[in-house]
Amino acid sequence: MRPQTALRTLFLSLLTVAAAFSAGCSKPEGEERVVRVTRNIGGREGFRRHFEAWKAAFEKANPGWKMELTDLGDTDASAFYKTRVATGDVPEVLQTWSFTKYMVDSDMLMPLPDSFFDKFGIEKPTPYQGRQYDSQSGLQFEGIAVNKKMWGDIGVTEPPRTWDDLIAGLKKLKEKGHRPLVYGGRDWSAWTPLQYVLKVNLYDANPNPSSPSWTVRRDKGEVKFSTDPTARLVVERIVELLDLFAEKGALSDGYPEQQRLFYGGQGATWMMGCWIAGDLEPNKVELDLDYWPIPSMTGKQPAFVSNWHMQNGWAIYKGASEEKKQKAMACLEALYDPGVYQLFLNAEGQFSTALKVPVKGPKVDYGPAQGLFDTMAARVKQYSLHPGWFISLEDQPPPSMKWERIMQEILSGNKDVDALLAILDDEWDRARKGQ
Amino acid sequence: MSLGHRKRRAFPLKEILLLAAGILFLSPVFLAVLNSFKTLAEINAAPLALPSRPTLASYGGIFTRVHILKPMLNSLLMALAVIVCLITIAPMAAYSMSRRKMRTGPCLRVLFLSGLMIPFQVLMVPLMQEFRFLGIQFSYLSLLLVYVSTGLPFAIFVYTGFLTTVPKELEEAAAIDGCGQFGTFWRIIFPLLAPCTVTVIIFWGIWIWNDFLMAFIFMGPSRGQLAFVQLWTFLSDKYVKNWDTIFAGVVVLSLPLTVLYLTMQRRLVKGLTAGAIK
Amino acid sequence: MTTYSSRPAPGRAENPFHENPFHPPAWKNAATSALFCGPAILLYGGFVLLPTLLGFGYSFTNWSGWGQKPGFVGLGNFRELFTDALFYRAFRFTLFETALILLFFTFGTMVLAVLLDRLKAMKGLIRALFFYPYILSILVGGLIFQWLGNYREGAINTVLRGIGLESWAQEWMGPQWAGWFLFAFVVWSAMGFFTMLYLANLQMIPDELYEAAALDGAGPVSVFRHVQFPMLMPTITTNSVMALIFGINLFGQVVVLWEQPRNDTYTIGYYIYDLGVRGNRQGYATAVSLVMFLILAVVAVVQVRTLRRREVHL
């Protein structure tokens, strides 16, 4: 009878397959000489090259040990880390992104000794609860990428001194028929212009402990977006910026679209971080680009925003065995092997902060990219670095704050400054509850 | 299922219209497939045009950069195992709860129904802890259990629905014949539920194949030997969209499912219903 | 209809236990029930119900989702939910989408299934065309729709401009059209599922019914009203409940289409995800899911009960 034999085969196959899988379920954990590392790679060739070099350097210096990759982006990492914490099976070396604070508070991370930083001449980041937990990457900074040819068309070759000058320049570009600004509201990149101007206008360029930051004052209730005149000014000028220069349809543009426009030579200005220089080679970009600091709205000097004060690199899982923790340390040290460090800086477009390592900054074969790196290095010397709100882990806005919400509101037609300021306050309060 | 219309439609107008609608409906995918034969530069430059020089470079990229073959095999095996479990366990339970005399039947039905509504985030962490308690965390077995258990509400719900179309006389006749409960079910009822079984096979197969989240959480990316986990990090990169690899990946990954669908569609349904109803 | 056998009932010799085949003894009945239902209940209870109960327990805490010990806050989360403006906004949007989804996936797909059911030529091909988007992972579907819906260079607007309908090119992801665009994406990606269920049900309709209708001289519309529609009730129940659940929990399509959806286009499902993953407020997120689950459970059970009563039982 057909159903009968079918049934028998079904059950047999069920048993076989179940058995096969159960066989795969007993794997001795923790016995192996493996250090597991999380790192985002995704589609980025530069990151892949970096990891391979890092792995090679570690395995060479630690014979018998292997380095195993867990490829994660930061959104997946959140879910991943949380479930691993629940089961106690966490990789030994962890990329921490913006979760450092949560991970330390959950007692996941092992503090790093001063000797580690001294060995490579790294200036230590601001401690969190008195300790350092993360390796430092390089110097990453944020500024404005510009197409030299287009700006040259209107006679501008040096960065604008003030925000008004910037707006005036953008207007002239528009009159000349160029696309003045590349901007999109669909994904995270929507917040860049807003964050830029908040960081350089609401926060001090030289924070000191006796003068509390805007964040601290906001959390204490001494100041709010709705009542702070600088915040009001910022929001007004941002509304103006989007009103004049954000195109219809910006809500459907995200980072990839902006990148395509800018690298395709169809936009004069892109407010994005220094890593974009690392993407010139994969995209075969041959434009002549400059990188400018962010002009102030409150009469201060233009400056680049950098986050090197923040603890944001790789950390070591506290719950690993002593032997594994030692090897994890060795793994972190391998990061500063000159060849590895060079590849890291190249991929991320960052400059060196490890003074004892004989690598100064990105060095790539691709002409246009190296040209941009050199330009960036020169501009950073010319202008200064501003920490923005990257003062310390204890003293920054809630990491889950939704800055892009305000920008999307503006793009949707909401130009009421009071309403927007109220939204900023509302979002801040909401996000603070998550800490 | 031919029906004796008095007027035979000589011109297949309906078929042609539906074909056109279908092609329009699927046009975005056709574009994606088209673009998988272009280089990245060309995709960016002219997304809607025919490839000027068709190339298989992106496909090469899929197999060398993303290492997709073994994961695909693993996904296939996993889907097979889960489906076998589901189509044996679920119909029995559905039958028992809706047809046999069981005082707790309706109550159980509601219980299973509620399972359809549970969002995954709620389950995620406690399940991990449970697997750790049982000592099977990060194994294929744990993922298998997750897939089967979360698939049960849907399968049971669908089977319960279809069971109402099975005439009661059949069971009574079988009982007269001396068939035990078990026999009645497997020899008579189950074959009648064939379309339902096929549906569950296709749907759950697709779900498992495309699933990223559960495979990722319960098995982890380094052991991420399931197909979509491999492609995910590629697809969800915030900065880079390697459209050429993505499109090639789309084609490669959906081929097995397309094959599954076409074979299931024609052979199984025809074969089982023809025999069973008559 | 079918005759299984014309043999008489077994006599004593063939039925040594003197069992009435219609009413086996109670213990045997219970044992068989256990055998039938057992595996399902064990698996479901152990790996779905139990973790869910534990999971929902977190809704009474202020857990961040990370390893810290959660602090008990009693009904605090629920009180906060009551005054959460963003929750209500998301709820309204979710209801809007759910209404569309419910209508389309219950009735629209039924019409399509009926059309696809009895085709004379290219049956497999045409069905495959409509089903294929379901096979694609929504991640890929989302990328495709992002690419389609881009205002400046997306395929839709490019084609519209190309054929001279410039004014029809819209900001598909803008405030006016976003909800509809999302709905279009949801339809595109999930239509195959619901249509397939209807098709499966249609195939179980016995030919005799069609033959009888043909003898009565019924045209296609009449056949639909009197033969197909009543027989489709079980699937109407299934599909409408699944559509309801799908709509209320809608999350995947939102996140792949807009990596950072605007507040106006938050669904509850996305809100819960956002609270838990990005906002690090897993306790509060669980409270929201518990409330939604309870609402959904009540509505779904009522829906099933009402619809099941109307089903045709052969």
Side-chain angles (χ1 to χ4, degrees), chain C:
Chain C
M1 150 177 214
T2 56
T3 48
Y4 241 86
S5 132
S6 45
R7 285 169 57 212
R12 278 196 168 229
E14 287 142 317
N15 190 354
F17 294 103
H18 313 298
E19 277 173 21
N20 180 337
F22 296 123
H23 301 287
W27 68 266
K28 206 170 184 200
N29 201 27
T32 328
S33 291
L35 193 63
F36 269 78
C37 272
I41 295 180
L42 279 174
L43 282 173
Y44 179 66
F47 297 110
V48 176
L49 286 184
L50 185 61
T52 309
L53 286 172
L54 291 174
F56 277 139
Y58 283 118
S59 61
F60 301 103
T61 69
N62 62 359
W63 192 41
S64 67
W66 294 91
Q68 306 139 293
K69 286 276 162 268
F72 189 71
V73 292
L75 292 174
N77 287 333
F78 299 97
R79 259 183 259 128
E80 182 182 343
L81 182 58
F82 214 58
T83 55
D84 186 349
L86 194 51
F87 171 73
Y88 288 117
R89 214 166 173 192
F91 193 68
R92 275 203 309 273
F93 183 70
T94 310
L95 281 183
F96 167 70
E97 291 289 326
T98 306
L100 289 175
I101 287 172
L102 196 55
L103 282 174
F104 185 82
F105 285 135
T106 311
F107 299 112
T109 51
M110 177 162 54
V111 170
L112 182 65
V114 167
L115 286 173
L116 292 178
D117 180 38
R118 289 173 298 145
L119 292 172
K120 289 226 246 39
M122 303 181 285
K123 180 158 37 178
L125 173 66
I126 297 181
R127 285 186 193 170
L129 285 176
F130 285 101
F131 189 64
Y132 192 82
Y134 183 69
I135 293 178
L136 280 182
S137 153
I138 52 168
L139 186 55
V140 173
L143 287 178
I144 289 179
F145 265 73
Q146 270 179 20
W147 181 48
L148 284 179
N150 189 283
Y151 180 75
R152 197 187 45 251
E153 49 189 33
I156 298 177
N157 284 355
T158 311
V159 167
L160 285 173
R161 291 186 193 119
I163 60 177
L165 286 171
E166 174 100 33
S167 57
W168 284 22
Q170 299 290 336
E171 224 186 323
W172 302 108
M173 303 215 197
Q176 221 189 340
W177 289 100
W180 295 98
F181 192 63
L182 176 67
F183 176 62
F185 178 44
V186 169
V187 163
W188 190 81
S189 58
M191 191 163 91
F193 176 84
F194 295 92
T195 316
M196 182 92 203
L197 283 173
Y198 276 127
L199 273 173
N201 197 346
L202 281 170
Q203 265 155 2
M204 290 171 73
I205 297 179
D207 276 354
E208 294 89 39
L209 295 180
Y210 287 110
E211 284 160 18
L215 285 175
D216 283 346
V221 177
S222 201
V223 166
F224 175 72
R225 268 182 70 203
H226 298 283
V227 177
Q228 293 172 316
F229 187 77
M231 294 293 291
L232 282 177
M233 280 310 290
T235 310
I236 291 180
T237 314
T238 312
N239 274 15
S240 61
V241 173
M242 304 279 315
L244 175 76
I245 294 172
F246 180 50
I248 298 275
N249 283 338
L250 189 65
F251 150 68
Q253 276 85 350
V254 176
V255 82
V256 297
L257 191 58
W258 299 298
E259 282 126 271
Q260 226 79 260
R262 297 178 306 116
N263 269 51
D264 273 341
T265 55
Y266 265 37
T267 57
I268 295 283
Y270 184 81
Y271 186 47
I272 292 171
Y273 164 80
D274 189 65
L275 278 173
V277 171
R278 186 173 166 189
N280 292 303
R281 296 192 66 197
Q282 191 62 39
Y284 184 57
T286 319
V288 178
S289 4
L290 180 58
V291 168
M292 290 313 295
F293 172 76
L294 290 173
I295 295 176
L296 188 57
V298 168
V299 175
V301 169
V302 167
Q303 194 175 354
V304 172
R305 285 259 167 83
T306 335
L307 289 173
R308 283 261 194 262
R309 261 188 232 128
R310 291 170 171 226
E311 284 167 15
V312 169
H313 290 249
L314 281 178

Side-chain angles (χ1 to χ4, degrees), chain A residues 175-418:
Chain A
E175 281 160 25
K176 274 264 177 174
H178 296 301
R179 174 183 274 114
L181 181 69
V182 165
Y183 178 72
R186 193 190 70 224
D187 60 17
W188 63 274
S189 61
W191 74 47
T192 332
L194 178 66
Q195 283 198 354
Y196 277 15
V197 293
L198 285 173
K199 285 169 187 165
V200 302
N201 291 294
L202 281 181
Y203 288 80
D204 280 318
N206 298 301
N208 72 80
S210 61
S211 167
S213 70
W214 199 90
T215 304
V216 172
R217 289 188 292 140
R218 173 66 178 75
D219 285 333
K220 281 209 194 119
E222 290 168 12
V223 74
K224 289 178 85 139
F225 286 100
S226 320
T227 54
D228 187 331
T230 316
R232 176 170 293 269
L233 173 66
V234 162
V235 173
E236 279 169 6
R237 303 312 301 269
I238 283 288
V239 171
E240 177 196 30
L241 178 78
L242 290 185
D243 206 17
L244 292 172
F245 306 115
E247 297 176 356
K248 181 164 184 193
L251 277 171
S252 58
D253 280 339
Y255 186 96
E257 284 79 18
Q258 293 170 50
Q259 183 177 279
R260 199 162 48 243
L261 278 177
F262 189 69
Y263 286 158
Q266 292 168 39
T269 322
W270 192 17
M271 295 186 180
M272 198 46 69
C274 64
W275 60 77
I276 60 176
D279 289 331
L280 291 182
E281 185 184 346
N283 288 286
K284 302 274 179 284
V285 179
E286 290 174 9
L287 301 171
D288 201 7
L289 300 172
D290 200 347
Y291 203 64
W292 290 346
I294 302 156
S296 160
M297 291 178 183
T298 46
K300 301 179 202 148
Q301 293 294 320
F304 292 99
V305 174
S306 101
N307 65 354
W308 69 269
H309 280 281
M310 297 300 291
Q311 302 201 30
N312 178 357
W314 277 275
I316 296 179
Y317 177 53
K318 191 171 178 184
S321 67
E322 279 314 309
E323 190 190 18
K324 286 224 171 174
K325 281 199 277 208
Q326 268 186 354
K327 286 303 169 188
M329 255 335 271
C331 193
L332 289 188
E333 292 190 357
L335 268 175
Y336 296 100
D337 170 287
V340 179
Y341 196 52
Q342 181 71 73
L343 283 174
F344 178 79
L345 297 181
N346 290 354
E348 295 275 3
Q350 294 180 6
F351 289 83
S352 169
T353 49
L355 300 173
K356 290 187 185 159
V357 178
V359 171
K360 284 282 159 287
K363 204 173 179 63
V364 294
D365 285 333
Y366 190 65
Q370 190 59 45
L372 183 55
F373 285 133
D374 294 335
T375 311
M376 284 176 172
R379 289 289 186 203
V380 168
K381 280 210 191 76
Q382 219 184 336
Y383 297 88
S384 53
L385 288 173
H386 193 303
W389 58 52
F390 295 123
I391 302 162
S392 73
L393 280 180
E394 280 147 325
D395 180 8
Q396 62 160 346
S400 55
M401 170 87 180
K402 294 209 190 60
W403 304 103
E404 77 277 7
R405 185 180 162 191
I406 289 78
M407 303 302 264
Q408 287 170 337
E409 285 282 328
I410 300 174
L411 289 174
S412 303
N414 182 356
K415 305 207 176 122
D416 177 1
V417 176
D418 289 305

Side-chain angles (χ1 to χ4, degrees), chain A residues 1, chain B residues 170-188, chain C residues 4 7 10 19 21:
Chain A
M1 215 178 296
Chain B
L170 288 180
E171 295 170 57
E172 288 157 12
I176 293 174
D177 262 1
C179 270
Q181 296 279 354
F182 227 60
T184 316
F185 178 72
W186 285 108
R187 289 195 206 149
I188 293 149
Chain C
Y4 241 86
R7 285 169 57 212
E19 277 173 21

